[in-house]
Amino acid sequence: MKEAEIKNIYKKKINELKKHNKFYFENSNPEISDKEYDEIKKEILNLEKRFSYLKNNSSPSISLGFTPSKKFIKSTHRVKMLSLSNAFDIEDLKNFEKKIFNYLNEKIEVEYSVEPKIDGISASLTYKDSVLVLGASRGDGSTGEVITENLKTIKDIPQKIKSKDFPKDIDIRGEVFIKKQDFNRLKNDFANPRNAASGSLRQKNPEETKKIPLNFVAYTYGYFKNDKIKKQSEFLNLLQKWGFKINEHNKVLSKIKDLKNFHEKFEKDRFNLEYDVDGLVYKINNLELQKRLGFTANSPRWAIAHKFSADSAYSKITDINIQVGRTGALTPVARINPVNIGGVVVSNATLHNEDEIIRKDIRIGDTVKIERAGDVIPHVILVDLKKRDKKLKKFVFPNNCPSCGSETIKEFNKTTKKHDAVRRCTNEGYECEKIAIEKIKHFISKDAMNIDGLGKKVVENFWDLNLIRFPQDIYNLDYNKISNLEGWGDLSVSNLKYSIDQSKKVSLDKFLYAIGIRHIGIENAKLLAEHVKSIKNFIILVNKKKLNEFLDIDGIGETQINSLKTFFENKSNYKIIEKLSSILNISDLKLNKDGKLLNNTFMFTGKLSNMSRAEAKSLIEENSGSVVSSINKKLKYLIIGDKPTTRKVQQAKELGIKILSQKEWISLLD
Ligand code: IVH
């Protein structure tokens, strides 16, 4: 396209945006949805990114007030605002604790800080030299919206701290919420108190925020160089001393049994509280332990949210469809007469798997109780047998994949010695249409190749039009054909092309995650990438059938190896990787390059005390070192734990590799 043409398109988009700004901000009466608005904004930003001559001082991305989400400027959180994983019953809690013990490689008595989980909006407050200098929303966890002025209208948020011991530079984090009683007045404008708090906080004019009474409780920190405070409960008390409100029901408990008892009691009493609480948060109280445990991709290992039972309603099942997922899992979904559950209209509910249908004897035509908890997919709790029509037949789960007709199986789990509850299509590649579409959707998703111009709906559309069959087809699209399709213009085609081109540069771990091997999530993909270092090495290992080598990696076990093997036994999967590796620019993992252990390689043998291999490995990597799994000349240190393998020690001695005890190794870090 010529420059003049592009400028013209750009101008039109800007005018469109201005028009909607006016509807939204001045008339408080938007004509389009938030999503459509964000689309226009994204198109403008993409154009500016590509054609630098478009940027000018009145560009909406520069002028204050324009924003990631309509009206606020963005700010990157110094420490990410993550979410919490959920527990619904005592089994989930036991599992949570078990994982902690595994990670630490020791069983200890853990103390928990127990805090009510208020259902509001989280916010991060940055204080420098005791003055509130920035207030931000959670946003996507990495970047939030700057809402300082709005937050300043909340009386519970101190703007200046008087205490002498308040840290010089700290982010205080907590929940902004509205009390039930205040929400009653706003019932007609918002679906629930949470939406009311969010709506109020995100008013363009802080005077509007002031009109809706918001509250704030503080519960954690983001950025903070802490060397004195030892416990979360101690931190909560300090927060109160510094002038923040903290929850009056916070307490410290130790055993899972006590957590469960407190949860049961609190769940019954919560209706008397002035605000909505959707569960309890349990955090390991010892901050040193929290630090050791660290985070998985989305949530801390040291905390969990124990949810209360959800809202529920009765409705009738009109049909049961079987969905085929990316890994071939067949998930039955009940289509139900639409029903309002806790402010959300629900028309589908998951039935989880075949066993669940059998156990609950769920039939098409049944009246069922459906539960919905937060953002969790609604599910069927029970069948109201009194309402069952005698003529209803038992539901027969298909024996063959409804998409490709392949045989389906329930795998045998060697560890639990039981058959899996989930039935799966045996097709591992792209021969099953539904699996193929889901694989491509996974390939483009945010944590994978992150091709944001190509959404899930577009993938389905392109599939129907025979434009895509395999991931590599994305890089060979016929843009002329696309620009003639309904709903596609020059600009959207050019944006699509741009985001596809951008995705060509990808890190090895993201790529390994993107190809969608079962049991290889983000974390495992990282482990594989760190091990092989380059896509070339990865392909060599596959070719030489040396996938067992991955067994040396902590965190990779038989399950993952078997899954990798099955994946590559399918020739189409192998071909796809070969093709993609020639199209893409797959870079190695970015390593932290300023730690004390840079250029040092380590290997472990024997059991470490008070620490799992996974923790030891992340400690080395945090300090820029690397961990290898076999003894060779590149190895610098062999770290010896309890009962080391004599052969390894011998080999290391022969090669002149330095041998360290766990204590000596730790002292290298000091
Ligand atoms: S701790 C990484 N403590 O729950 C630690 N969160 O799903 C996460 N929340 O976004 C925050 N009460 O909005 C924490 N006492 C509490 C909380 C709490 C409510 C919310 C918060 C967060 C979400 C996590």
Side-chain angles (χ1 to χ4, degrees), residues 80-86 115-123 138 174-175 194 217 219-220 232 250 278 281 283 295 299-300 302-303 305:
K80 271 196 188 173
M81 290 180 86
L82 295 168
S83 50
L84 294 166
S85 49
N86 290 327
E115 303 162 24
K117 184 166 181 294
I118 297 185
D119 197 11
I121 301 293
S122 52
R138 177 173 184 272
E175 203 79 355
R194 187 170 192 274
V217 287
Y219 47 64
T220 192
Q232 162 73 4
N250 291 341
D278 61 350
V281 182
K283 300 175 184 166
F295 301 85
S299 51
W302 43 264

Side-chain angles (χ1 to χ4, degrees), residues 264-518:
E264 262 169 27
K265 188 171 162 354
F266 206 88
E267 179 159 22
K268 282 192 200 115
D269 295 346
R270 74 182 157 132
F271 301 101
N272 299 323
L273 295 175
E274 284 186 297
Y275 41 83
D276 273 340
V277 173
D278 61 350
L280 293 172
V281 182
Y282 308 142
K283 300 175 184 166
I284 299 264
N285 203 22
N286 183 322
L287 297 182
E288 192 64 41
L289 262 186
Q290 282 192 9
K291 209 168 148 204
R292 274 182 67 188
L293 286 162
F295 301 85
T296 64
N298 302 312
S299 51
R301 284 193 191 90
W302 43 264
I304 196 156
H306 189 183
K307 294 285 190 118
F308 295 134
S309 340
D311 293 319
S312 65
Y314 282 86
S315 183
K316 197 173 189 166
I317 298 186
T318 54
D319 201 1
I320 296 177
N321 299 147
I322 310 289
Q323 285 179 350
V324 186
R326 173 172 66 87
T327 56
L330 305 188
T331 307
V333 177
R335 309 291 170 200
I336 55 166
N337 285 332
V339 57
N340 187 319
I341 313 181
V344 174
V345 177
V346 174
S347 45
N348 301 315
T350 178
L351 300 173
H352 300 290
N353 52 54
E354 184 182 4
D355 282 9
E356 176 91 354
I357 297 191
I358 298 171
R359 197 169 49 242
K360 291 184 178 157
D361 185 18
I362 299 168
R363 307 180 185 192
I364 298 173
D366 266 338
T367 299
V368 290
K369 187 179 182 186
I370 291 152
E371 205 178 72
R372 190 188 71 89
D375 5 344
V376 184
I377 304 169
H379 62 276
V380 170
I381 300 288
L382 55 87
V383 176
D384 187 346
L385 288 174
K386 279 193 233 111
K387 294 219 169 98
R388 172 174 284 170
D389 185 332
K390 286 199 186 70
K391 281 181 239 128
L392 295 190
K393 290 200 187 76
K394 263 196 193 302
F395 181 75
V396 185
F397 206 89
N399 261 331
N400 290 73
C401 171
S403 166
C404 67
S406 298
E407 188 198 342
T408 61
I409 51 157
K410 282 177 160 187
E411 284 171 7
F412 185 73
N413 185 321
K414 280 189 200 146
T415 328
T416 59
K417 305 236 177 329
K418 277 187 193 153
H419 278 281
D420 221 351
V422 177
R423 188 172 277 285
R424 283 174 203 281
C425 168
T426 43
N427 203 314
E428 267 290 332
Y430 284 75
E431 296 80 12
C432 174
E433 173 168 336
K434 286 280 187 289
I435 295 184
I437 298 175
E438 292 308 312
K439 275 181 184 256
I440 298 171
K441 285 184 191 168
H442 169 80
F443 183 79
I444 59 155
S445 63
K446 199 161 182 287
D447 288 329
M449 302 300 286
N450 191 19
I451 311 183
D452 62 355
L454 191 67
K456 289 184 178 177
K457 282 269 164 282
V458 181
V459 168
E460 284 173 10
N461 187 227
F462 283 6
W463 179 278
D464 290 341
L465 295 166
N466 218 345
L467 289 168
I468 303 184
R469 283 290 174 271
F470 300 101
Q472 63 267 32
D473 297 339
I474 294 171
Y475 300 98
N476 203 8
L477 284 172
D478 183 344
Y479 292 106
N480 270 335
K481 207 166 171 182
I482 295 172
S483 62
N484 289 325
L485 298 175
E486 209 188 297
W488 289 89
D490 284 352
L491 180 66
S492 46
V493 170
S494 127
N495 277 341
L496 173 69
K497 191 165 181 291
Y498 178 71
S499 74
I500 289 176
D501 281 345
Q502 287 281 300
S503 77
K504 281 188 184 162
K505 196 169 169 351
V506 62
S507 63
L508 180 59
D509 57 326
K510 293 217 166 190
F511 175 74
L512 293 179
Y513 171 68
I515 53 180
I517 307 166
R518 201 171 149 213

Side-chain angles (χ1 to χ4, degrees), residues 18 27 55 115 144 148-149 163 296 339 356 431-432 458 514 565 586 591 620 667:
K18 277 187 185 155
N27 314 346
K55 270 205 182 148
E115 303 162 24
T148 320
E149 293 312 310
S163 307
T296 64
V339 57
E356 176 91 354
E431 296 80 12
C432 174
V458 181
K565 284 181 183 165
I586 306 170
L591 297 171
I620 289 182
S667 69

